[in-house]
Amino acid sequence: MTLSSFAQLQPIKSGVFHWNDFEVKSNGDRQGRAILEGISTHFDYLEMHATTQAVGAKASTAHANEDIEELIIVKEGVMKVTIDGESSILGANGVISLMPLQMHSMQNAGDSPLTYYVIRYRSKKQMNVERGIASGGSLMINADSLAYRPTSVGGVRSYFDRSTAMCERLEMHVTTLDRKVPSHDPHSHVETEIILMISGETAQLIDGKEYTAKAGDFYFMESESNHGIRNTSDEPTTYFAFKWK
């Protein structure tokens, strides 16, 4: 995509995106869902889609992004991911933080369909590959490798909090609310944030308007928006929260 086409993209507005609203397009042993594409406070390009690979599907064509960083999240199934010749197996809620300029491919390594989200982005500021390398480079993280830290309302698994080639700060965790409670009081911050639902049901207040979401849906909160999430069910709810600047 060229710079001129980037310039035509519109700002992504705060709100909720529902999994069942995404059009499914099939192509052989794959299905794709286009989710969003636009710009945000910190990015001059931000795109998100979901891919489903059938059992036995060929690996995605190995490629490297010249000036795009990616965050990849396994929704369901088992993924074999290969980055610059190094492979790992990731299960549900596994996460890849992928640097630019690295050859990578993904393949269904399980006996059920593999579905994963891909978030692609480019910073408005100059890419800093050296900063990303110094912060650990690309990461491949399985959820079950992370400690679960109990809280007064449930618990948290922390994935990372670091700088990357494109972000001065990229922080990611999974929160569980074990009953009908808010996670915290409404607040705002300079980072843009996505909350991606894993299970349960929630309501999110964003700048005075309330939205609801369940598994597969996500909330998008632009920089400095006032927001607060709560569990709306007596059953536990679990969700990813990741933010950047």
Side-chain angles (χ1 to χ4, degrees):
M1 186 171 289
T2 64
L3 286 172
S4 60
S5 57
F6 280 152
Q8 298 169 8
L9 294 173
Q10 299 300 307
I12 299 168
K13 297 180 179 179
S14 296
V16 67
F17 293 75
H18 296 290
W19 177 259
N20 290 335
D21 291 342
F22 308 142
E23 181 183 1
V24 180
K25 293 186 177 181
S26 298
N27 182 12
D29 55 12
R30 283 164 166 70
Q31 291 181 336
R33 292 171 169 84
I35 297 176
L36 61 77
E37 187 176 33
I39 62 176
S40 67
T41 297
H42 307 96
F43 297 149
D44 69 8
Y45 182 64
L46 174 59
E47 183 266 341
M48 182 174 180
H49 64 272
T51 296
T52 297
Q53 294 186 10
V55 176
K58 293 181 179 179
S60 60
T61 302
H63 65 285
N65 300 314
E66 181 178 355
D67 61 354
I68 294 290
E69 195 166 84
E70 294 188 8
L71 192 62
I72 302 165
I73 303 169
V74 180
K75 184 177 187 290
E76 54 195 13
V78 179
M79 173 190 285
K80 178 183 178 182
V81 55
T82 302
I83 302 175
D84 281 349
E86 179 182 347
S87 297
S88 292
I89 299 297
L90 300 179
N93 303 326
V95 169
I96 305 162
S97 178
L98 179 67
M99 289 262 295
L101 305 175
Q102 292 200 290
M103 293 293 293
H104 61 281
S105 67
M106 284 82 73
Q107 183 176 16
N108 188 345
D111 56 7
S112 63
L114 165 69
T115 299
Y116 53 94
Y117 303 90
V118 180
I119 303 101
R120 308 175 73 246
Y121 49 91
R122 190 178 76 172
S123 176
K124 291 180 177 178
K125 297 182 179 181
Q126 185 175 359
M127 178 173 72
N128 189 333
V129 173
E130 291 76 15
R131 180 180 64 194
I133 293 172
S135 297
S138 293
L139 300 179
M140 296 174 278
I141 304 172
N142 262 307
D144 59 10
S145 70
L146 303 172
Y148 181 78
R149 178 173 58 84
T151 67
S152 61
V153 293
V156 174
R157 294 185 192 275
S158 296
Y159 280 68
F160 51 76
D161 187 349
R162 64 180 191 142
S163 56
T164 70
M166 291 293 178
C167 300
E168 293 178 356
R169 183 192 183 200
L170 178 62
E171 187 271 335
M172 188 172 198
H173 64 272
V174 166
T175 291
T176 296
L177 303 177
D178 59 14
R179 57 192 184 278
K180 191 182 291 186
V181 292
S183 176
H184 46 66
D185 293 333
H187 65 289
S188 63
H189 42 68
V190 69
E191 294 92 349
T192 303
E193 184 171 10
I194 287 177
I195 289 183
L196 175 60
M197 293 293 298
I198 298 172
S199 64
E201 299 176 357
T202 60
Q204 177 90 244
L205 190 68
I206 307 175
D207 291 334
K209 184 175 181 179
E210 187 169 82
Y211 304 86
T212 60
K214 57 185 179 180
D217 303 341
F218 69 92
Y219 304 102
F220 183 87
M221 284 79 65
E222 252 290 25
S223 172
E224 302 295 358
S225 63
N226 189 263
H227 59 278
I229 190 171
R230 60 186 175 88
N231 187 354
T232 58
S233 169
D234 291 325
E235 299 298 319
T237 187
T238 301
Y239 52 84
F240 278 102
F242 49 100
K243 57 188 178 182
W244 63 85
K245 66 175 182 178

